[in-house]
Amino acid sequence: MSACEPNTHSRKAGVVIASTRAAAGAYPDETGPVILDWLTEHGFEPFPTMVVPDGEPVGAALRALLTQQPAVVITSGGTGLSPDDRTPEMTLPLLDREIPGIMEGIRRAGAAKTPMAMLSRGHAGAAGKTFIINLPGSPKGVMDGLAVLDPVIGHLCEQLEGNHGH
């Protein structure tokens, strides 16, 4: 049973992979397929994954996706401390409201497995009725983050759609 069953319409979702090397074809994107599987399992209809270089192309991809009014946009990569890790800076200006508890939960769950999780600078929040979250660039980090979202994604979507049931 999915946590985010579509009610009268299928919820759309976008995926942005921030990786200069994957965008250049230097190696395959390993996190996009993990995210797409999770979205599909949760009743979302994903747009094609956008694999873009780090930095401003992430912001452009996010802005393009937001014009399609998806329920959810998940990014992977660009959340660390390298000079070109700019996904949080590209995301924050698009958010109307941050949802800090989600990232706190993700960092807490990740830190139980590796102290490196504390270095993730990702954001989670709402841009209008769209939930946006920045996940790390590793498949394990993505799986850990998605596991934290599992029990809340349905309620989160309903609230952003204006349904106030508890």
Side-chain angles (χ1 to χ4, degrees):
M1 189 72 172
S2 84
C4 209
E5 291 280 339
N7 37 21
T8 57
H9 66 285
S10 187
R11 289 184 173 118
K12 305 283 188 202
V15 178
V16 177
I17 306 303
S19 172
T20 300
R21 291 177 292 173
Y27 65 77
D29 160 37
E30 295 181 345
T31 58
V34 173
I35 297 167
L36 287 179
D37 286 349
W38 185 88
L39 287 167
T40 302
E41 288 169 9
H42 287 77
F44 290 95
E45 186 180 318
F47 295 112
T49 301
M50 302 172 77
V51 181
V52 298
D54 287 299
E56 177 50 41
V58 174
L62 289 171
R63 289 188 297 276
L65 276 170
L66 286 173
T67 67
Q68 303 301 305
Q69 300 180 326
V72 172
V73 174
I74 299 175
T75 73
S76 173
T79 62
L81 297 170
S82 297
D84 60 348
D85 285 338
R86 309 267 309 140
T87 299
E89 288 78 10
M90 296 298 116
T91 303
L92 190 57
L94 303 175
L95 300 179
D96 301 317
R97 296 181 289 171
E98 285 191 81
I99 310 171
I102 291 175
M103 293 313 297
E104 291 164 8
I106 288 173
R107 282 188 274 269
R108 185 171 47 250
K113 297 178 180 183
T114 172
M116 300 309 156
M118 292 184 289
L119 302 180
S120 178
R121 302 177 309 109
H123 292 290
K129 293 183 176 184
T130 300
F131 170 64
I132 302 176
I133 185 163
N134 303 144
L135 295 179
S138 71
K140 277 189 162 191
V142 164
M143 288 186 271
D144 289 346
L146 295 174
V148 171
L149 286 179
D150 271 335
V152 298
I153 192 68
H155 188 65
L156 191 156
C157 290
E158 290 168 6
Q159 285 200 330
L160 288 177
E161 291 166 354
N163 301 321
H164 299 289
H166 290 284

